[in-house]
Amino acid sequence: MSGIIINPLRSEWPELIKRPQISSKDLDATILEIINTVKESGDEAVKEYSRKFHDFAPENLWVTEDEIASSVKKIDKDLKKAILVAKRNIEKFHKRQVEKVKKIETLKGIVCWRKSVPVEKVGLYVPGGSAPLFSTLLMLAIPAKIAGCNTITVTTPANKSGDVDVAILFVANILGLKNIYKGGGAQAIAALAYGTQTVEKVDKIFGPGNQYVTCAKKLINIDGVAIDMLAGPSELAVYADDTCVPEFVAADLLSQAEHGPDSQVVLVAVKEQIIDKVIQQIDAQLPLLPRAEIVEKSLLNRRFLVIENEDQAFDFLNAYAPEHLIIASENAEPLSERVRNAGSVFLGNFSPESAGDYASGTNHSLPTNGLAKTFSGVSVDSFVKKITFQKIDNKGIKNIGKTVETMAAAEGLSAHKNAVSIRLKKIRDGKI
Amino acid sequence: MSGIIINPLRSEWPELIKRPQISSKDLDATILEIINTVKESGDEAVKEYSRKFHDFAPENLWVTEDEIASSVKKIDKDLKKAILVAKRNIEKFHKRQVEKVKKIETLKGIVCWRKSVPVEKVGLYVPGGSAPLFSTLLMLAIPAKIAGCNTITVTTPANKSGDVDVAILFVANILGLKNIYKGGGAQAIAALAYGTQTVEKVDKIFGPGNQYVTCAKKLINIDGVAIDMLAGPSELAVYADDTCVPEFVAADLLSQAEHGPDSQVVLVAVKEQIIDKVIQQIDAQLPLLPRAEIVEKSLLNRRFLVIENEDQAFDFLNAYAPEHLIIASENAEPLSERVRNAGSVFLGNFSPESAGDYASGTNHSLPTNGLAKTFSGVSVDSFVKKITFQKIDNKGIKNIGKTVETMAAAEGLSAHKNAVSIRLKKIRDGKI
């Protein structure tokens, strides 16, 4: 491995923060056709595409209650225990995101507040493919349940026998999820967005997926259906100083790289020797990994940089705006104050990204591709709207009346002014 | 006026909740050309389009410090006072939206938290046109300031003499806004999205506008620039029962209708007599309004419905998901519990929408066109990302280690597992 970049000029940063390009424009026409076919033919189209693209053809597109119930017996005991620990932590962290109603009297007689009201119908896409991502179901369904969404529809590809993975069913079981649809890919997104004979159209669609799923989410979003975000390939940036443990840094970079050949890892170290040590460790650990081939491809996208100046190092990281950021330093907590753009930040030598991916409590659905500059990861917020309310009494309207009349008049909106004047007059006339 | 709909069947609702159609697809090509020209030629293109479409041609595209400072002397005294009251209320309401950091120990040795970090660079579009909407600047800039955004760039069309309205400058003055760009329409959105010789590219663009502005926001959003939301024509729904004041309801509906010919008003009353009385009041008040012509056009889009059953009435209103909802009833507070989809709700007979539009404290940038099902209005949240952090110590990783290893293995992600195992081993071996 080579290609260490030493103290790059700021003018070189725009090139260095670019993500590996994946062309998706060519997909639009193909995916649009899938969407339109599902719009027309509904479940039959989903079945047909599942046969064609995913090699499964379930008779029944819905998981039965029995299948969900029996997962409790079928699941591996250790995995069961692990999932329950993860559920508990994720619930504990996300429950604190619920915003309580705070009534604020802005002026005597004027009380304003904001109330979180659940998005009524949500659809959760859980990728299957090479491995069924039951952890994604935990990360999406727990905040949806806490938010209080009325209808939660899960869609996930089945395996070749037409069954959904037992761990996904177990998660559904412990979270009380009843609607599990056997559909993967763009066709499943279309089914959630527009409804089918058996799928109820949802208000908002969540969940990661491959480029086909992402393209479908993009297209239905342009058509007015809400989505969580457009997930790109996963990313990790690590900041490492002299107090890091190169062995751990290497393991963290490799864990990110195994996601897929288009994943990206970035390492910003304050000294070249640190990178040398990390590379030694990568070379030692990589051959032992079952997904070494994917990791090697992904490492072609790596950026290993030495940035000696701490300010500049964090400026660079903020410009990159990583999905995941590990601060591999014993000094991580004060350093974390410098983070302005990131999805989720891991502090110190004992906070591997994989803890957050699965079980520490934070959400793993995070903004990629620089979106962390403006987007947050999935949280309870993603499953609610915050509706504002105000209650003004006759004293309140007297207190604010003149202000509103004056401003409305200045904006040339006489009817806005009149809506206040007519009330003030009625009060003045003692008619109310 | 006629066309009262009595107890419509649920099967008729989809037609009744449709908004007046505005075709914007034909605009895409025109607006894309404007955007591309601004990308290429920057400020000169903005100037040229301003000359062409807005009939102003300022020599200097930026408002000077002197212009901002002198607004304090130029502004009408009553308006000055009104704006200061509104500012105070809006600040009071929005400051309470700031989320404090809550550190949560999910397991011994694992501390997770979420921190609101400002979006660094934001662009605020303030419509000018027929009237300069200084209230919009208050509604956008106050939460941006509270969030702590680094760069706040305001863009607004100038008048024919090339000057920006004094009320807008006064708001800029009291909020300490320094960057006011004289640009309106799609060209201003393009300048914010991609930068020009003098405009710094922003991370997120806020603000309402006409169909050209909205189309530009749509296109730059598809291209990856964040926006607050796509604003459609403004809407008001009123729920009225026997305790409403028909005179006030009429005034509120008229205030909404004066926004523009494509605005929509909806009245859901529990009895036909209420609607009759409201219509009488509309007929009495309308001729007195300066914008009567616009109001009359807008009223063509009205929906006046009698829905006798309270449950069904609110089901209908929730299906409509209005931007603004007035509950014109002395029983408004308990009724408001039934609201599931709305932008902002006004309770009782003394809470006109215009209070919230200007000065009560709530934000007036709200989701339209049914987006209230999934979107919130602008708030401090809109100007921050909530970044998650976690700090795990060596006890913490021992507590969570097995859980993560088991889950990672079950998802076939060995390197994820290894990132934990390698740490556990080091601790076990006493090497750290």
Side-chain angles (χ1 to χ4, degrees):
Chain A
M1 229 184 321
S2 67
I4 301 174
I5 300 151
I6 316 273
N7 292 323
L9 297 173
R10 272 179 193 256
S11 59
E12 298 171 88
W13 289 9
E15 198 52 39
L16 292 172
I17 64 174
K18 270 195 191 152
R19 271 52 174 188
Q21 287 302 310
I22 37 161
S23 67
S24 72
K25 277 206 175 157
D26 312 340
L27 280 181
D28 283 9
T30 314
I31 300 298
L32 202 56
E33 199 194 314
I34 295 176
I35 291 174
N36 286 332
T37 309
V38 173
K39 263 188 187 176
E40 274 165 38
S41 319
D43 292 328
E44 275 314 308
V46 174
K47 270 192 193 175
E48 188 46 41
Y49 285 121
S50 295
R51 233 186 309 267
K52 194 170 164 190
F53 299 130
H54 301 274
D55 204 14
F56 74 95
E59 264 184 54
N60 189 350
L61 279 165
W62 292 91
V63 171
T64 65
E65 271 185 55
D66 275 358
E67 286 175 274
I68 297 176
S70 64
S71 65
V72 183
K73 288 172 223 149
K74 287 184 190 155
I75 193 160
D76 170 83
K77 267 191 188 163
D78 282 343
L79 184 55
K80 180 180 178 174
K81 210 170 138 188
I83 288 175
L84 289 171
V85 171
K87 170 181 178 281
R88 190 194 142 280
N89 291 348
I90 299 165
E91 281 176 346
K92 196 168 176 182
F93 184 67
H94 286 76
K95 273 185 185 164
R96 293 291 293 276
Q97 293 167 354
V98 175
E99 189 180 292
K100 282 186 198 129
V101 170
K102 290 175 270 190
K103 294 202 174 181
I104 301 157
E105 193 171 52
T106 53
L107 270 184
K108 199 83 193 158
I110 303 180
V111 181
C112 302
W113 66 96
R114 188 158 88 130
K115 187 166 111 178
S116 294
V117 180
V119 175
E120 292 194 72
K121 295 165 199 162
V122 298
L124 313 182
Y125 184 84
V126 177
S130 51
L133 299 188
F134 59 87
S135 61
T136 296
L137 185 54
L138 284 167
M139 294 294 177
L140 298 177
I142 288 175
K145 294 288 285 185
I146 293 172
C149 300
N150 235 329
T151 305
I152 302 175
T153 306
V154 178
T155 181
T156 190
N159 61 23
K160 288 185 186 176
S161 345
D163 297 321
V164 168
D165 176 76
V166 71
I168 290 181
L169 296 179
F170 176 70
V171 171
N173 187 305
I174 57 174
L175 295 177
L177 305 169
K178 291 186 164 58
N179 309 323
I180 319 286
Y181 187 71
K182 296 176 187 175
Q187 61 271 23
I189 300 298
L192 291 171
Y194 303 106
T196 69
Q197 296 85 350
T198 65
V199 178
E200 194 180 0
K201 173 188 177 2
V202 302
D203 299 318
K204 190 170 180 180
I205 298 175
F206 295 77
N210 58 22
Q211 52 182 331
Y212 307 106
V213 169
T214 302
C215 180
K217 281 175 73 182
K218 181 187 78 178
L219 294 173
I220 59 111
N221 185 232
I222 292 172
D223 195 34
V225 182
I227 59 169
D228 51 350
M229 61 189 123
L230 291 177
S234 193
E235 318 145 355
L236 166 67
V238 179
Y239 171 87
D241 68 14
D242 282 326
T243 60
C244 79
V245 183
E247 204 177 333
F248 298 172
V249 173
D252 292 332
L253 294 171
L254 291 169
S255 79
Q256 181 57 40
E258 81 173 333
H259 272 296
D262 49 7
S263 291
Q264 187 171 54
V265 295
V266 172
L267 171 59
V268 174
V270 296
K271 280 184 195 153
E272 196 172 354
Q273 296 94 303
I274 299 169
I275 298 188
D276 291 338
K277 283 182 202 163
V278 171
I279 291 176
Q280 280 169 28
Q281 283 293 331
I282 289 177
D283 291 341
Q285 294 175 30
L286 196 154
L288 308 173
L289 295 174
R291 289 164 77 100
E293 213 175 310
I294 291 174
V295 173
E296 273 170 358
K297 274 190 195 149
S298 162
L299 286 179
L300 296 174
N301 306 320
R302 76 184 175 285
R303 303 269 189 235
F304 284 2
L305 300 95
V306 177
I307 304 184
E308 287 166 349
N309 179 291
E310 199 178 272
D311 284 340
Q312 289 211 19
F314 276 91
D315 279 355
F316 178 84
L317 289 165
N318 284 317
Y320 183 77
E323 181 191 13
H324 307 95
L325 172 64
I326 296 179
I327 304 181
S329 162
E330 288 173 4
N331 196 32
E333 203 149 356
L335 286 172
S336 75
E337 295 293 325
R338 295 170 174 272
V339 177
R340 295 193 306 275
N341 299 320
S344 198
V345 186
F346 299 78
L347 277 64
N349 291 322
F350 293 100
S351 303
E353 185 203 314
S354 41
D357 285 343
Y358 288 109
S360 60
T362 58
N363 209 290
H364 79 197
S365 298
L366 297 164
T368 53
N369 198 23
L371 289 181
K373 287 183 180 180
T374 50
F375 273 85
S376 315
V378 165
S379 72
V380 173
D381 292 342
S382 318
F383 293 90
V384 300
K385 317 77 81 163
K386 298 184 180 178
I387 303 179
T388 50
F389 291 79
Q390 61 202 283
K391 190 172 189 332
I392 305 180
D393 63 19
N394 51 8
K395 273 184 205 129
I397 196 74
K398 276 201 277 183
N399 284 332
I400 196 88
K402 179 87 189 300
T403 297
V404 176
E405 287 178 323
T406 307
M407 291 174 77
E411 284 191 353
L413 297 174
S414 305
H416 279 66
K417 180 184 173 188
N418 191 52
V420 172
S421 309
I422 211 165
R423 285 171 166 92
L424 294 178
K425 187 173 181 307
K426 202 103 169 178
I427 295 173
R428 223 169 24 238
D429 294 350
K431 288 194 181 149
I432 204 155
Chain B
M1 227 185 318
S2 67
I4 301 174
I5 300 151
I6 317 273
N7 291 321
L9 297 172
R10 271 179 194 258
S11 58
E12 297 171 87
W13 289 9
E15 198 51 39
L16 292 172
I17 63 174
K18 270 194 192 151
R19 270 54 172 189
Q21 287 302 309
I22 37 162
S23 67
S24 72
K25 277 207 173 157
D26 314 339
L27 281 180
D28 282 10
T30 313
I31 300 298
L32 202 56
E33 199 194 314
I34 294 176
I35 291 173
N36 287 333
T37 311
V38 173
K39 264 188 187 177
E40 273 166 38
S41 318
D43 293 327
E44 275 314 308
V46 174
K47 270 193 193 175
E48 188 47 39
Y49 286 120
S50 295
R51 231 186 310 264
K52 194 169 163 190
F53 299 131
H54 301 274
D55 204 15
F56 74 95
E59 264 184 56
N60 189 351
L61 279 165
W62 292 91
V63 171
T64 64
E65 271 185 55
D66 275 357
E67 287 176 272
I68 297 176
S70 63
S71 65
V72 183
K73 288 173 225 152
K74 287 183 192 157
I75 193 161
D76 170 82
K77 268 191 186 164
D78 282 343
L79 185 55
K80 179 180 178 174
K81 211 170 137 185
I83 288 175
L84 289 171
V85 171
K87 170 181 179 281
R88 189 194 144 280
N89 291 348
I90 300 166
E91 281 176 347
K92 197 167 175 181
F93 185 68
H94 286 76
K95 273 185 184 163
R96 293 292 293 276
Q97 293 167 354
V98 175
E99 190 181 291
K100 283 187 197 127
V101 170
K102 290 174 271 192
K103 295 202 173 181
I104 300 157
E105 193 171 50
T106 52
L107 270 183
K108 199 85 196 154
I110 303 180
V111 181
C112 302
W113 65 96
R114 183 159 92 130
K115 188 166 110 177
S116 294
V117 180
V119 175
E120 292 193 72
K121 295 167 199 160
V122 297
L124 312 182
Y125 184 83
V126 177
S130 50
L133 300 187
F134 59 88
S135 62
T136 296
L137 185 53
L138 284 167
M139 294 295 176
L140 299 177
I142 288 175
K145 294 289 285 186
I146 292 172
C149 300
N150 236 331
T151 305
I152 302 175
T153 305
V154 178
T155 179
T156 191
N159 61 24
K160 287 183 187 179
S161 345
D163 296 321
V164 169
D165 176 75
V166 70
I168 290 181
L169 296 180
F170 176 70
V171 171
N173 186 304
I174 57 174
L175 295 177
L177 305 169
K178 293 189 162 58
N179 308 323
I180 319 285
Y181 187 70
K182 296 177 187 173
Q187 60 272 24
I189 300 297
L192 291 171
Y194 303 106
T196 68
Q197 297 84 351
T198 65
V199 178
E200 194 180 2
K201 173 188 176 5
V202 303
D203 299 317
K204 190 170 181 180
I205 298 175
F206 294 78
N210 58 21
Q211 53 183 330
Y212 308 105
V213 169
T214 302
C215 180
K217 282 175 73 181
K218 180 189 77 176
L219 294 173
I220 59 109
N221 185 232
I222 292 173
D223 195 35
V225 182
I227 59 169
D228 51 351
M229 60 188 125
L230 290 176
S234 193
E235 318 143 356
L236 166 67
V238 179
Y239 171 87
D241 67 15
D242 283 324
T243 61
C244 80
V245 182
E247 205 178 333
F248 298 172
V249 173
D252 292 334
L253 294 172
L254 291 169
S255 79
Q256 181 58 39
E258 82 173 332
H259 271 297
D262 49 8
S263 291
Q264 187 171 55
V265 295
V266 173
L267 171 60
V268 174
V270 295
K271 280 184 194 155
E272 197 173 352
Q273 295 94 304
I274 298 169
I275 298 189
D276 291 339
K277 283 182 202 162
V278 170
I279 290 175
Q280 282 170 25
Q281 284 293 331
I282 288 177
D283 291 342
Q285 294 176 29
L286 196 153
L288 308 173
L289 295 174
R291 289 164 78 100
E293 212 176 311
I294 291 173
V295 173
E296 274 170 358
K297 273 190 196 150
S298 163
L299 285 179
L300 297 175
N301 306 320
R302 77 185 175 284
R303 302 271 189 231
F304 284 1
L305 301 96
V306 177
I307 304 184
E308 287 167 349
N309 179 290
E310 198 179 275
D311 284 340
Q312 289 211 19
F314 276 91
D315 277 357
F316 178 84
L317 289 165
N318 284 317
Y320 183 77
E323 181 190 14
H324 307 97
L325 172 64
I326 296 180
I327 304 181
S329 163
E330 288 174 4
N331 195 34
E333 202 148 356
L335 286 172
S336 74
E337 295 293 325
R338 294 170 175 273
V339 177
R340 296 193 306 275
N341 299 319
S344 198
V345 187
F346 300 77
L347 277 64
N349 292 321
F350 294 99
S351 304
E353 185 202 313
S354 41
D357 285 343
Y358 287 109
S360 60
T362 57
N363 208 290
H364 79 195
S365 299
L366 297 164
T368 54
N369 198 23
L371 289 181
K373 288 183 180 181
T374 50
F375 272 84
S376 315
V378 164
S379 72
V380 173
D381 292 342
S382 319
F383 294 91
V384 301
K385 313 80 79 167
K386 298 184 178 178
I387 304 179
T388 50
F389 291 80
Q390 62 201 283
K391 189 172 190 331
I392 305 180
D393 63 19
N394 51 8
K395 273 184 205 126
I397 196 73
K398 277 201 276 183
N399 284 333
I400 196 86
K402 179 88 189 299
T403 297
V404 176
E405 288 178 323
T406 307
M407 291 173 78
E411 285 191 356
L413 296 174
S414 305
H416 280 64
K417 180 185 173 185
N418 191 52
V420 172
S421 309
I422 211 165
R423 285 170 166 93
L424 294 178
K425 187 174 183 307
K426 203 102 169 180
I427 295 172
R428 222 168 28 237
D429 294 350
K431 288 196 181 146
I432 205 152

